[in-house]
């Protein structure tokens, strides 16, 4: 069969790699893709938000299955456009992708169905938000309602900071229309865990857990980024935590969406905080995490095509998801200066080392093929993933593989997975 993957980051590279392993797949296209994805897929120069052009391409090439990696097209309704044209596509429809597309919607859903999450209020006007802050407890968390590249969350320690935050989100529109509404919620403490799951509208099957590192600098300092590295599984995601989440969070979310007339088919990514009162939902995403996908997919034993097809057909209960009994660590190699300003266009050396090594992967995020070779083309450039028998071994392997790669302005955190020493 022919598969089209939509997106261009490390997550989509990991998806292409996973899809390429399936014996059922004869040809992969990726729109728009990147230099690493080009090893497995024919990259097509159509942007992820050009729904009509993408659907036309899928028709013309007789694509059997399209997998959407990114949040923007999902929230924008790409699945509905493909389905209207009779094309088979993996991902939630627009009315279900709202689970990620509107934080106010997801908070109201959790409240209505008693799914554990931080206490909150939604606001449509800055005046009401500012009035509410007068009696609030600090620290407090402000969230732009819509998609904001993972940057629309502000943790404010004082009333003054929170007032400035409301102004930047709702009045100055720092995150554009994402800030037309806002959630103000209680500050929670605890460890964060990402749990990704496949969902077919009624059945949910969770994947192995992972933990992201969102801040740019060691010791969780510096600005928030798309993610500087991950490890899987999380040693803090114990059997007890899993049991609690199964009982109160996972199926409850899927049932709630179905009850609301918004059956969810695709990936639900649960961002969880393990608080002293128990696990609570920080946020939902409607897609694989990046870089979470780069540690979870290499450990998955199933043929990803079978699982995606079962989600579309509503037959996920027939599938048994299986993961290797090992661990993986991904260290993101970024351009120095990310997430603010950075230079690009530097030649990357050492990529070929990964071709001969089982259990080592280099997933491309921001790269470009030029006549001089593959060059840096973004803030996050590569994700270097290594497996190991346990997390310690995987971390040592990943940091060894980081030294194989060389490019000017290469930057990475040196403490990805350090938390496992505290487990
Ligand atoms: P989100 O995009 O909602 O996952 O938020 C981004 C990051 O902000 C999370 O990964 C947390 O580190 C932090 N965060 C979000 N909500 C809260 C909260 N209620 N309490 C504490 N930290 C939070
Ligand atoms: N790594 C976090 C995300 O994909 O949203």
């Amino acid at each position: 069969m022919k598969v089209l993957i939509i997106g261009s980051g490390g997550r989509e590279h990991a998806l292409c790699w996973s899809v390429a392993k399936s014996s059922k797949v004869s040809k992969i296209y990726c729109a728009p893709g990147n230099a690493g994805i080009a090893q497995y897929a024919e990259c097509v120069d159509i942007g992820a938000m050009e729904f009509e052009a993408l659907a036309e391409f899928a028709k013309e090439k007789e694509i059997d299955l399209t997998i959407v990696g990114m949040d923007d097209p999902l929230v924008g309704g790409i699945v509905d456009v493909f389905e209207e044209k009779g094309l088979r596509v993996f991902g939630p429809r627009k009315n279900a992708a709202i689970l990620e597309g509107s934080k106010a919607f997801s908070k109201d859903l959790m409240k209505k169905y008693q799914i554990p999450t931080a206490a909150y209020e939604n606001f449509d006007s800055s005046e009401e938000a500012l009035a509410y802050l007068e009696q609030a407890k600090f620290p407090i968390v402000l969230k732009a309602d819509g998609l904001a590249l993972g940057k629309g969350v502000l943790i404010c320690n004082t009333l003054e900071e929170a007032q400035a935050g409301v102004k930047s989100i709702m009045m100055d529109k720092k995150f554009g229309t994402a800030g037309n509404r806002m959630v103000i919620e209680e500050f929670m403490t605890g460890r964060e865990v990402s749990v990704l799951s496949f969902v077919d509208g009624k059945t949910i099957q969770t994947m192995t857990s992972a933990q992201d590192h969102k801040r740019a600098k060691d010791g969780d300092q510096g600005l928030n980024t798309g993610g500087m590295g991950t490890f899987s599984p999380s040693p803090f995601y114990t059997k007890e935590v899993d049991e609690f989440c199964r009982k109160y969070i996972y199926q409850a979310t899927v049932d709630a969406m179905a009850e609301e007339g918004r059956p969810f088919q695709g990936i639900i990514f649960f961002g969880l905080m393990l608080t002293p009162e128990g696990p609570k939902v920080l946020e939902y995403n409607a897609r694989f995490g990046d870089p979470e996908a780069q540690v979870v997919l290499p450990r998955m034993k199933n043929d990803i095509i079978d699982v995606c097809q079962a989600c579309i057909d509503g037959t996920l209960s027939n599938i048994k998801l299986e993961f290797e009994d090992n661990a993986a660590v991904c260290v993101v190699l970024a351009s120095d200066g990310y997430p603010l300003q950075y230079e690009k266009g530097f030649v990357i050396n050492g990529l070929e080392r990964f071709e001969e090594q089982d259990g080592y992967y280099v997933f491309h995020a921001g790269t470009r093929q030029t006549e001089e070779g593959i060059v840096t083309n973004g803030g996050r450039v590569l994700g270097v993933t290594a497996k190991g028998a346990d997390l310690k071994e995987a971390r040592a392997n990943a940091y060894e593989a980081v030294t194989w790669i060389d490019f000017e302005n290469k930057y990475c955190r040196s403490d990805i997975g350090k938390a496992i020493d505290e487990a």
Side-chain angles (χ1 to χ4, degrees):
M1 60 190 280
K2 295 188 215 164
V3 177
L4 168 65
I5 292 169
I6 297 185
S8 60
R11 164 184 48 213
E12 286 75 22
H13 190 170
L15 277 168
C16 281
W17 169 83
S18 194
V19 166
K21 284 197 305 175
S22 170
S23 57
K24 301 181 176 75
V25 174
S26 54
K27 172 90 185 166
I28 309 174
Y29 295 93
C30 187
N34 64 35
I37 288 174
Q39 294 162 20
Y40 307 99
E42 186 175 327
C43 294
V44 188
D45 191 18
I46 309 177
M49 295 307 284
E50 297 174 48
F51 302 168
E52 293 295 333
L54 288 168
E56 211 169 286
F57 176 83
K59 274 257 179 231
E60 183 195 311
K61 296 290 181 190
E62 298 176 328
I63 300 291
D64 300 290
L65 174 66
T66 297
I67 301 175
V68 186
M70 296 167 71
D71 47 1
D72 282 304
L74 289 168
V75 170
I78 190 171
V79 168
D80 306 58
V81 172
F82 270 58
E83 283 184 350
E84 276 158 26
K85 296 184 194 299
L87 292 160
R88 206 167 156 78
V89 53
F90 175 77
R93 291 184 191 139
K94 187 174 182 175
N95 73 352
I98 191 174
L99 195 59
E100 171 163 7
S102 167
K103 291 193 190 286
F105 169 87
S106 71
K107 295 296 292 189
D108 285 347
L109 186 88
M110 287 186 267
K111 187 191 259 179
K112 182 168 172 188
Y113 293 91
Q114 292 161 17
I115 297 166
T117 188
Y120 75 101
E121 293 285 339
N122 293 338
F123 296 94
D124 289 310
S125 86
S126 54
E127 290 81 16
E128 286 168 35
L130 290 169
Y132 174 84
L133 288 175
E134 296 288 337
Q135 310 103 46
K137 277 201 286 182
F138 294 89
I140 203 157
V141 185
L142 310 186
K143 298 186 173 185
D145 177 50
L147 293 182
L149 297 168
K151 302 191 174 77
V153 175
L154 305 178
I155 294 171
C156 303
N157 289 308
T158 62
L159 175 63
E160 292 68 35
E161 264 181 56
Q163 287 167 331
V166 169
K167 183 170 179 295
S168 81
I169 292 175
M170 294 198 97
M171 295 156 84
D172 304 342
K173 296 280 185 253
K174 185 169 176 205
F175 308 108
T177 54
N180 288 352
R181 294 184 88 190
M182 202 176 81
V183 177
I184 301 187
E185 75 175 24
E186 168 202 11
F187 177 76
M188 300 189 286
T189 54
R191 289 195 183 274
E192 289 185 40
V193 185
S194 302
V195 175
L196 316 189
S197 65
F198 287 97
V199 183
D200 75 355
K202 46 186 195 300
T203 300
I204 177 165
Q205 298 231 21
T206 51
M207 297 178 232
T208 180
S209 62
Q211 185 177 322
D212 191 10
H213 299 65
K214 288 208 169 85
R215 302 290 201 97
K217 307 268 182 215
D218 281 6
D220 289 330
Q221 302 294 311
L223 294 170
N224 255 324
T225 70
M228 293 302 292
T230 36
F231 58 84
S232 170
S234 164
F236 308 104
Y237 190 79
T238 59
K239 204 161 158 283
E240 291 70 39
V241 171
D242 185 59
E243 273 166 17
F244 180 96
C245 295
R246 281 179 198 286
K247 198 159 170 197
Y248 298 107
I249 297 178
Y250 301 146
Q251 189 68 49
T253 301
V254 175
D255 292 346
M257 290 299 281
E259 181 71 26
E260 293 293 305
R262 301 170 182 273
F264 193 106
Q265 290 182 308
I267 303 290
I268 300 184
F269 163 159
F270 297 85
L272 303 171
M273 179 87 94
L274 309 182
T275 77
E277 299 107 67
K280 293 188 184 179
V281 178
L282 271 171
E283 64 160 350
Y284 294 115
N285 295 307
R287 49 164 176 88
F288 280 99
D290 193 0
E292 283 88 341
Q294 300 180 48
V295 282
V296 169
L297 290 176
R299 298 185 53 229
M300 189 167 96
K301 291 190 192 171
N302 303 71
D303 181 328
I304 192 169
I305 295 295
D306 292 342
V307 188
C308 292
Q309 300 277 36
C311 287
I312 299 172
D313 294 334
T315 55
L316 190 60
S317 58
N318 298 338
I319 298 252
K320 185 170 181 317
L321 275 191
E322 287 185 291
F323 288 83
E324 293 170 0
D325 183 20
N326 57 10
V329 170
C330 169
V331 179
V332 169
L333 303 188
S335 303
D336 196 16
Y338 171 74
L340 296 173
Q341 269 164 332
Y342 50 83
E343 287 180 74
K344 44 192 193 179
F346 300 114
V347 173
I348 304 171
N349 295 306
L351 292 166
E352 62 294 337
R353 277 282 294 267
F354 288 80
E355 285 161 23
E356 308 122 41
Q357 303 275 356
D358 263 1
Y360 292 82
Y361 312 85
V362 61
F363 296 116
H364 293 223
T367 64
R368 194 163 60 86
Q369 184 74 54
T370 67
E371 275 171 23
E372 294 100 82
I374 294 180
V375 302
T376 64
N377 194 41
R380 289 194 292 179
V381 178
L382 301 167
V384 169
T385 294
K387 293 201 276 201
D390 58 21
L391 283 162
K392 284 204 168 118
E393 191 181 297
R395 178 176 58 183
N397 291 346
Y399 274 106
E400 193 213 329
V402 161
T403 66
W404 303 347
I405 298 278
D406 182 43
F407 58 85
E408 222 170 291
N409 281 4
K410 170 178 140 183
Y411 169 78
C412 66
R413 275 181 62 162
S414 68
D415 64 348
I416 301 301
K418 190 159 180 281
I420 61 182
D421 297 335
E422 297 153 24

